[in-house]
Coordinates of all heavy atoms in Angstrom, one line a residue:
M1 N -23.6 -29.2 -29.2 CA -23.9 -28.4 -28.0 C -22.6 -27.8 -27.5 O -21.6 -28.6 -27.4 CB -24.5 -29.4 -27.0 CG -25.0 -28.7 -25.8 SD -26.7 -28.4 -26.0 CE -27.0 -27.2 -24.7
S2 N -22.6 -26.6 -27.1 CA -21.4 -26.0 -26.6 C -21.3 -26.2 -25.1 O -22.3 -26.3 -24.4 CB -21.5 -24.4 -26.8 OG -21.5 -24.2 -28.2
T3 N -20.0 -26.2 -24.7 CA -19.8 -26.3 -23.3 C -20.0 -24.9 -22.6 O -20.0 -23.9 -23.3 CB -18.3 -26.8 -22.9 OG1 -17.4 -25.8 -23.4 CG2 -18.0 -28.1 -23.6
Q4 N -20.1 -24.9 -21.3 CA -20.2 -23.6 -20.6 C -19.0 -22.7 -20.8 O -19.2 -21.5 -21.0 CB -20.5 -23.9 -19.1 CG -20.8 -22.7 -18.4 CD -22.1 -22.0 -18.7 OE1 -23.1 -22.7 -19.3 NE2 -22.2 -20.7 -18.6
Q5 N -17.9 -23.3 -20.9 CA -16.7 -22.5 -21.2 C -16.7 -21.9 -22.6 O -16.3 -20.8 -22.7 CB -15.4 -23.4 -21.1 CG -14.2 -22.7 -21.0 CD -13.0 -23.7 -20.8 OE1 -13.1 -24.9 -20.9 NE2 -11.9 -23.0 -20.3
E6 N -17.2 -22.6 -23.6 CA -17.3 -22.1 -25.0 C -18.3 -20.9 -25.0 O -18.0 -19.9 -25.6 CB -17.7 -23.2 -25.9 CG -16.6 -24.2 -26.2 CD -17.1 -25.4 -26.9 OE1 -18.2 -25.7 -26.8 OE2 -16.2 -26.1 -27.5
V7 N -19.4 -21.1 -24.3 CA -20.4 -20.1 -24.3 C -19.9 -18.8 -23.6 O -20.0 -17.7 -24.1 CB -21.7 -20.6 -23.5 CG1 -22.7 -19.4 -23.3 CG2 -22.3 -21.7 -24.3
Q8 N -19.1 -19.0 -22.5 CA -18.6 -17.9 -21.8 C -17.5 -17.1 -22.6 O -17.5 -15.9 -22.6 CB -17.9 -18.3 -20.5 CG -18.9 -18.4 -19.3 CD -19.7 -17.2 -19.1 OE1 -20.9 -17.1 -19.3 NE2 -19.1 -16.0 -18.7
A9 N -16.8 -17.9 -23.4 CA -15.8 -17.3 -24.3 C -16.5 -16.4 -25.4 O -16.1 -15.3 -25.7 CB -14.9 -18.4 -24.9
R10 N -17.6 -17.0 -25.9 CA -18.3 -16.2 -27.0 C -18.9 -15.0 -26.4 O -18.9 -13.9 -27.0 CB -19.4 -17.1 -27.6 CG -18.9 -18.2 -28.5 CD -20.0 -18.7 -29.4 NE -21.3 -18.9 -28.8 CZ -21.9 -20.0 -28.4 NH1 -21.2 -21.1 -28.4 NH2 -23.1 -20.0 -27.9
L11 N -19.5 -15.1 -25.2 CA -20.2 -13.9 -24.6 C -19.1 -12.9 -24.2 O -19.3 -11.6 -24.4 CB -20.9 -14.3 -23.3 CG -22.2 -15.1 -23.5 CD1 -22.9 -15.5 -22.3 CD2 -23.2 -14.2 -24.4
S12 N -17.9 -13.2 -23.7 CA -16.9 -12.3 -23.4 C -16.4 -11.5 -24.7 O -16.3 -10.4 -24.7 CB -15.7 -13.1 -22.8 OG -14.6 -12.2 -22.5
Y13 N -16.2 -12.3 -25.8 CA -15.8 -11.7 -27.0 C -16.9 -10.8 -27.5 O -16.6 -9.7 -28.0 CB -15.5 -12.8 -28.0 CG -15.1 -12.4 -29.4 CD1 -13.8 -12.0 -29.7 CD2 -16.1 -12.3 -30.4 CE1 -13.4 -11.6 -30.9 CE2 -15.7 -11.9 -31.7 CZ -14.4 -11.5 -32.0 OH -14.0 -11.1 -33.2
T14 N -18.1 -11.2 -27.5 CA -19.3 -10.4 -28.0 C -19.4 -9.2 -27.2 O -19.6 -8.1 -27.8 CB -20.6 -11.3 -27.9 OG1 -20.4 -12.5 -28.7 CG2 -21.7 -10.5 -28.5
T15 N -19.3 -9.2 -25.9 CA -19.4 -8.1 -25.1 C -18.3 -7.1 -25.4 O -18.5 -5.9 -25.6 CB -19.3 -8.5 -23.5 OG1 -20.3 -9.4 -23.3 CG2 -19.4 -7.2 -22.7
A16 N -17.1 -7.5 -25.6 CA -15.9 -6.7 -25.9 C -16.2 -6.0 -27.3 O -16.0 -4.8 -27.4 CB -14.6 -7.5 -26.0
M17 N -16.7 -6.7 -28.2 CA -17.0 -6.0 -29.5 C -18.1 -5.0 -29.4 O -18.0 -4.0 -30.1 CB -17.3 -7.1 -30.6 CG -16.2 -8.1 -30.9 SD -14.8 -7.3 -31.5 CE -13.6 -7.5 -30.1
L18 N -19.2 -5.3 -28.7 CA -20.2 -4.4 -28.6 C -19.8 -3.1 -27.8 O -20.2 -2.0 -28.2 CB -21.4 -5.0 -27.9 CG -22.2 -6.1 -28.6 CD1 -23.2 -6.8 -27.7 CD2 -22.9 -5.5 -29.8
E19 N -19.0 -3.3 -26.8 CA -18.5 -2.2 -26.0 C -17.5 -1.2 -26.9 O -17.4 -0.1 -26.6 CB -17.8 -2.6 -24.8 CG -18.8 -3.1 -23.7 CD -18.1 -3.6 -22.5 OE1 -16.9 -4.0 -22.5 OE2 -18.8 -3.7 -21.4
R20 N -16.9 -1.8 -27.9 CA -16.1 -1.0 -28.8 C -16.9 -0.3 -29.8 O -16.4 0.5 -30.7 CB -15.1 -1.9 -29.5 CG -14.0 -2.5 -28.7 CD -13.1 -3.3 -29.4 NE -12.1 -3.9 -28.5 CZ -11.3 -4.8 -28.8 NH1 -11.2 -5.3 -30.0 NH2 -10.4 -5.3 -27.9
G21 N -18.2 -0.5 -29.8 CA -19.1 0.2 -30.7 C -19.3 -0.3 -32.1 O -19.7 0.3 -33.0
I22 N -18.9 -1.6 -32.3 CA -19.0 -2.3 -33.6 C -20.5 -2.6 -33.8 O -21.2 -3.0 -32.9 CB -18.1 -3.6 -33.6 CG1 -16.7 -3.2 -33.4 CG2 -18.3 -4.3 -34.9 CD1 -15.7 -4.4 -33.2
R23 N -20.9 -2.4 -35.1 CA -22.3 -2.7 -35.4 C -22.7 -4.1 -35.1 O -21.9 -5.0 -35.3 CB -22.5 -2.4 -36.9 CG -22.4 -1.0 -37.3 CD -22.6 -0.7 -38.8 NE -22.2 -1.8 -39.7 CZ -22.9 -2.4 -40.5 NH1 -24.2 -2.1 -40.6 NH2 -22.5 -3.4 -41.3
T24 N -23.9 -4.3 -34.7 CA -24.5 -5.6 -34.4 C -24.3 -6.6 -35.5 O -23.9 -7.7 -35.2 CB -26.0 -5.4 -34.0 OG1 -26.1 -4.5 -32.9 CG2 -26.5 -6.8 -33.5
A25 N -24.6 -6.3 -36.7 CA -24.5 -7.2 -37.8 C -23.0 -7.6 -38.0 O -22.8 -8.8 -38.3 CB -25.0 -6.6 -39.1
S26 N -22.1 -6.7 -37.8 CA -20.7 -7.1 -37.9 C -20.2 -7.9 -36.8 O -19.5 -8.9 -37.0 CB -19.8 -5.8 -38.0 OG -20.1 -5.0 -39.0
V27 N -20.7 -7.7 -35.6 CA -20.4 -8.6 -34.5 C -21.0 -10.0 -34.7 O -20.3 -11.0 -34.5 CB -21.0 -8.0 -33.2 CG1 -20.8 -8.9 -32.0 CG2 -20.3 -6.6 -32.8
A28 N -22.2 -10.1 -35.2 CA -22.7 -11.4 -35.5 C -21.9 -12.2 -36.6 O -21.7 -13.3 -36.4 CB -24.2 -11.2 -36.1
T29 N -21.5 -11.4 -37.5 CA -20.5 -12.1 -38.5 C -19.3 -12.5 -37.9 O -18.8 -13.6 -38.2 CB -20.2 -11.1 -39.7 OG1 -21.5 -10.7 -40.3 CG2 -19.3 -11.7 -40.8
M30 N -18.7 -11.7 -37.1 CA -17.4 -12.0 -36.4 C -17.5 -13.2 -35.5 O -16.7 -14.2 -35.4 CB -16.8 -10.8 -35.7 CG -16.4 -9.7 -36.7 SD -15.6 -8.3 -36.0 CE -16.5 -7.9 -34.6
V31 N -18.6 -13.2 -34.7 CA -18.8 -14.3 -33.7 C -19.1 -15.6 -34.5 O -18.5 -16.7 -34.2 CB -20.0 -14.0 -32.8 CG1 -20.4 -15.2 -32.0 CG2 -19.7 -12.8 -31.9
S32 N -19.9 -15.5 -35.5 CA -20.2 -16.7 -36.3 C -18.9 -17.3 -37.0 O -18.7 -18.5 -36.9 CB -21.2 -16.3 -37.4 OG -21.5 -17.4 -38.2
A33 N -18.1 -16.4 -37.5 CA -16.8 -16.9 -38.2 C -15.8 -17.4 -37.1 O -15.2 -18.5 -37.3 CB -16.2 -15.8 -39.0
K34 N -15.6 -16.7 -36.0 CA -14.6 -17.0 -35.1 C -14.9 -18.3 -34.3 O -14.0 -19.1 -34.1 CB -14.4 -15.9 -34.1 CG -13.3 -16.1 -33.0 CD -13.1 -14.9 -32.2 CE -12.1 -15.1 -31.1 NZ -10.7 -15.3 -31.6
F35 N -16.2 -18.5 -33.9 CA -16.5 -19.7 -33.1 C -17.3 -20.7 -33.9 O -17.7 -21.7 -33.3 CB -17.4 -19.2 -32.0 CG -16.6 -18.2 -31.0 CD1 -16.7 -16.9 -31.1 CD2 -15.8 -18.8 -30.1 CE1 -16.1 -16.0 -30.2 CE2 -15.1 -18.0 -29.2 CZ -15.2 -16.6 -29.3
C36 N -17.4 -20.6 -35.2 CA -18.1 -21.6 -36.0 C -19.5 -21.9 -35.6 O -19.9 -23.1 -35.3 CB -17.2 -22.9 -36.1 SG -15.6 -22.5 -36.9
V37 N -20.3 -20.9 -35.3 CA -21.7 -21.0 -34.9 C -22.6 -20.4 -35.9 O -22.1 -19.6 -36.7 CB -21.9 -20.4 -33.5 CG1 -21.1 -21.2 -32.4 CG2 -21.6 -19.0 -33.4
S38 N -23.8 -20.7 -35.9 CA -24.8 -20.1 -36.8 C -25.0 -18.6 -36.5 O -24.7 -18.2 -35.3 CB -26.1 -20.8 -36.8 OG -26.7 -20.6 -35.5
R39 N -25.5 -17.9 -37.5 CA -25.8 -16.5 -37.2 C -26.9 -16.3 -36.1 O -26.8 -15.4 -35.4 CB -26.2 -15.7 -38.5 CG -25.0 -15.4 -39.4 CD -25.4 -14.6 -40.5 NE -25.7 -13.2 -40.3 CZ -24.9 -12.2 -40.0 NH1 -23.6 -12.4 -40.0 NH2 -25.4 -11.0 -39.8
S40 N -27.8 -17.2 -36.1 CA -28.9 -17.1 -35.1 C -28.2 -17.3 -33.7 O -28.6 -16.6 -32.7 CB -30.0 -18.1 -35.3 OG -29.5 -19.5 -35.2
T41 N -27.3 -18.2 -33.5 CA -26.6 -18.4 -32.2 C -25.8 -17.1 -31.9 O -25.8 -16.6 -30.8 CB -25.6 -19.6 -32.3 OG1 -26.5 -20.7 -32.5 CG2 -24.8 -19.7 -31.0
A42 N -25.2 -16.5 -32.9 CA -24.4 -15.3 -32.7 C -25.4 -14.2 -32.3 O -25.0 -13.4 -31.3 CB -23.7 -14.9 -34.0
Y43 N -26.5 -14.1 -32.9 CA -27.5 -13.1 -32.4 C -28.0 -13.4 -31.0 O -28.3 -12.4 -30.2 CB -28.7 -12.9 -33.4 CG -28.3 -12.0 -34.6 CD1 -28.0 -12.5 -35.8 CD2 -28.2 -10.6 -34.4 CE1 -27.7 -11.6 -36.9 CE2 -27.9 -9.7 -35.4 CZ -27.7 -10.2 -36.7 OH -27.3 -9.4 -37.7
N44 N -28.2 -14.6 -30.7 CA -28.6 -14.9 -29.3 C -27.5 -14.5 -28.3 O -27.8 -14.0 -27.2 CB -28.8 -16.4 -29.1 CG -30.1 -16.9 -29.8 OD1 -31.0 -16.1 -30.1 ND2 -30.2 -18.2 -30.1
D45 N -26.2 -14.7 -28.7 CA -25.1 -14.2 -27.9 C -25.1 -12.7 -27.7 O -24.8 -12.2 -26.7 CB -23.8 -14.8 -28.4 CG -23.6 -16.2 -28.4 OD1 -24.3 -16.9 -27.5 OD2 -22.7 -16.8 -29.0
I46 N -25.4 -12.0 -28.8 CA -25.4 -10.6 -28.8 C -26.5 -10.1 -27.8 O -26.3 -9.1 -27.1 CB -25.6 -10.0 -30.2 CG1 -24.4 -10.2 -31.1 CG2 -26.0 -8.6 -30.2 CD1 -24.5 -10.0 -32.6
T47 N -27.7 -10.7 -27.9 CA -28.8 -10.4 -27.0 C -28.4 -10.5 -25.5 O -28.5 -9.7 -24.7 CB -30.0 -11.2 -27.3 OG1 -30.4 -10.9 -28.7 CG2 -31.2 -10.8 -26.4
A48 N -27.7 -11.7 -25.3 CA -27.3 -12.0 -23.9 C -26.2 -11.0 -23.5 O -26.2 -10.5 -22.3 CB -26.7 -13.4 -23.8
A49 N -25.2 -10.7 -24.3 CA -24.2 -9.8 -24.0 C -24.7 -8.4 -23.8 O -24.3 -7.7 -22.8 CB -23.1 -9.8 -25.1
Q50 N -25.6 -8.0 -24.6 CA -26.2 -6.6 -24.4 C -26.9 -6.5 -23.1 O -26.9 -5.5 -22.4 CB -27.2 -6.3 -25.6 CG -27.6 -4.9 -25.6 CD -26.5 -3.8 -25.7 OE1 -25.6 -3.9 -26.6 NE2 -26.3 -3.0 -24.7
A51 N -27.7 -7.6 -22.8 CA -28.4 -7.6 -21.5 C -27.4 -7.5 -20.3 O -27.6 -6.8 -19.4 CB -29.2 -8.9 -21.4
E52 N -26.3 -8.1 -20.5 CA -25.2 -8.1 -19.4 C -24.6 -6.7 -19.3 O -24.4 -6.2 -18.2 CB -24.2 -9.1 -19.8 CG -23.1 -9.3 -18.7 CD -22.1 -10.5 -19.1 OE1 -22.6 -11.6 -19.1 OE2 -21.0 -10.2 -19.2
I53 N -24.4 -6.1 -20.5 CA -23.9 -4.7 -20.5 C -24.9 -3.7 -19.9 O -24.5 -2.9 -19.1 CB -23.6 -4.2 -22.0 CG1 -22.4 -5.0 -22.5 CG2 -23.4 -2.7 -22.0 CD1 -22.2 -4.9 -24.0
D54 N -26.2 -3.9 -20.2 CA -27.3 -3.1 -19.6 C -27.4 -3.2 -18.1 O -27.6 -2.2 -17.5 CB -28.6 -3.4 -20.4 CG -28.6 -3.0 -21.8 OD1 -27.7 -2.2 -22.2 OD2 -29.4 -3.5 -22.5
L55 N -27.1 -4.4 -17.6 CA -27.2 -4.6 -16.2 C -26.0 -4.2 -15.4 O -26.1 -3.9 -14.2 CB -27.5 -6.1 -15.9 CG -28.8 -6.6 -16.2 CD1 -28.9 -8.1 -16.0 CD2 -29.9 -5.9 -15.4
S56 N -24.9 -4.1 -16.1 CA -23.7 -3.7 -15.3 C -23.7 -2.2 -15.0 O -24.2 -1.4 -15.8 CB -22.4 -4.0 -16.1 OG -22.3 -3.2 -17.3
D57 N -23.1 -1.9 -13.9 CA -23.1 -0.5 -13.5 C -21.6 -0.1 -13.2 O -21.1 -0.6 -12.2 CB -24.0 -0.3 -12.3 CG -23.9 1.2 -11.8 OD1 -23.5 2.1 -12.5 OD2 -24.2 1.4 -10.5
D58 N -21.0 0.6 -14.1 CA -19.6 1.0 -14.0 C -19.4 2.3 -13.1 O -18.3 2.6 -12.9 CB -18.9 1.1 -15.3 CG -18.9 -0.3 -16.0 OD1 -18.9 -1.3 -15.3 OD2 -18.9 -0.3 -17.2
G59 N -20.5 2.9 -12.8 CA -20.4 4.2 -12.1 C -20.5 4.0 -10.6 O -20.7 2.9 -10.1
P60 N -20.3 5.1 -9.8 CA -20.4 5.0 -8.4 C -21.8 4.7 -7.9 O -22.8 5.1 -8.6 CB -19.9 6.4 -7.9 CG -20.2 7.3 -9.1 CD -20.0 6.5 -10.3
S61 N -22.0 4.1 -6.8 CA -23.3 3.8 -6.3 C -23.8 5.2 -5.7 O -23.2 6.2 -5.6 CB -23.2 2.8 -5.2 OG -22.6 3.4 -4.0
L62 N -25.1 5.2 -5.5 CA -25.8 6.4 -4.9 C -25.3 6.8 -3.6 O -25.3 7.9 -3.2 CB -27.3 6.2 -4.9 CG -28.0 5.9 -6.2 CD1 -29.5 5.6 -6.0 CD2 -27.8 7.1 -7.1
E63 N -24.8 5.8 -2.8 CA -24.2 6.0 -1.5 C -22.9 6.6 -1.5 O -22.4 7.2 -0.5 CB -24.3 4.8 -0.6 CG -25.6 4.2 -0.3 CD -26.1 3.3 -1.5 OE1 -25.3 2.8 -2.2 OE2 -27.3 3.2 -1.6
E64 N -22.2 6.5 -2.6 CA -20.8 7.0 -2.7 C -20.8 8.5 -3.0 O -21.6 9.0 -3.7 CB -20.1 6.2 -3.8 CG -19.8 4.8 -3.5 CD -19.1 4.1 -4.7 OE1 -19.4 4.3 -5.8 OE2 -18.1 3.3 -4.4
A65 N -19.8 9.1 -2.3 CA -19.7 10.6 -2.5 C -19.2 10.9 -3.9 O -18.3 10.1 -4.4 CB -18.8 11.2 -1.5
S66 N -19.6 11.9 -4.5 CA -19.2 12.3 -5.8 C -17.8 13.1 -5.7 O -17.2 13.5 -6.7 CB -20.1 13.1 -6.6 OG -20.5 14.3 -5.8
E67 N -17.5 13.4 -4.4 CA -16.2 14.2 -4.2 C -15.1 13.3 -4.1 O -15.2 12.1 -3.7 CB -16.3 15.0 -3.0 CG -17.5 16.1 -3.0 CD -17.7 16.7 -1.7 OE1 -16.8 16.6 -0.8 OE2 -18.7 17.4 -1.6
P68 N -13.8 13.8 -4.4 CA -12.7 12.9 -4.3 C -12.4 12.5 -2.8 O -12.8 13.1 -1.9 CB -11.5 13.8 -4.8 CG -12.1 14.9 -5.5 CD -13.5 15.1 -5.0
I69 N -11.9 11.3 -2.7 CA -11.6 10.7 -1.4 C -10.4 11.4 -0.8 O -9.3 11.5 -1.5 CB -11.4 9.2 -1.5 CG1 -12.8 8.6 -1.9 CG2 -11.0 8.6 -0.1 CD1 -12.6 7.1 -2.2
N70 N -10.4 11.7 0.5 CA -9.2 12.2 1.1 C -8.4 11.1 1.6 O -8.7 10.3 2.5 CB -9.6 13.1 2.3 CG -8.4 13.7 3.1 OD1 -7.3 13.4 2.7 ND2 -8.7 14.4 4.1
T71 N -7.3 10.8 0.9 CA -6.5 9.6 1.2 C -5.7 9.7 2.5 O -5.3 8.7 3.0 CB -5.4 9.4 0.0 OG1 -4.7 10.6 -0.1 CG2 -6.1 9.0 -1.3
D72 N -5.6 10.9 3.1 CA -4.9 11.1 4.3 C -5.8 10.4 5.5 O -5.2 10.0 6.5 CB -4.7 12.6 4.7 CG -3.7 13.2 3.7 OD1 -2.9 12.5 3.1 OD2 -3.8 14.4 3.5
S73 N -7.1 10.4 5.3 CA -7.9 9.8 6.3 C -8.1 8.3 6.2 O -8.7 7.7 7.0 CB -9.3 10.5 6.4 OG -10.0 10.3 5.1
V74 N -7.6 7.7 5.2 CA -7.8 6.3 4.9 C -6.9 5.5 5.7 O -5.8 5.6 6.0 CB -7.7 6.0 3.4 CG1 -7.9 4.5 3.2 CG2 -8.9 6.7 2.7

């Protein structure tokens, strides 16, 4: 059984690899080899990491102006 810290390390690594555009099968192989886990565990990590990526919003919120901020008024 993995500790929460080990799971977080795997998810962080998996997320980084997916964001770089590496194929899912390759990510599974890399996670499995790097962390000595089964491929099914690696695929579970990929699913969790992809869900995290899908939920994250790196863009501006709807309330934020799309125009540049006037730094003189800040």
Side-chain angles (χ1 to χ4, degrees):
M1 185 100 196
S2 298
T3 66
Q4 187 62 27
Q5 189 175 21
E6 291 168 336
V7 172
Q8 278 305 115
R10 287 197 326 259
L11 287 177
S12 176
Y13 179 81
T14 303
T15 300
M17 296 300 106
L18 290 173
E19 287 178 337
R20 290 181 182 170
I22 299 173
R23 293 180 326 121
T24 303
S26 297
V27 173
T29 300
M30 293 186 315
V31 170
S32 180
K34 181 174 177 69
F35 296 99
C36 299
V37 295
S38 67
R39 282 186 69 81
S40 64
T41 298
Y43 275 106
N44 288 339
D45 290 342
I46 289 169
T47 301
Q50 188 61 55
E52 192 174 292
I53 291 169
D54 293 343
L55 287 176
S56 72
D57 178 22
D58 294 332
S61 70
L62 296 176
E63 295 82 28
E64 292 176 317
S66 59
E67 299 174 13
I69 296 173
N70 181 358
T71 56
D72 295 335
S73 66
V74 175

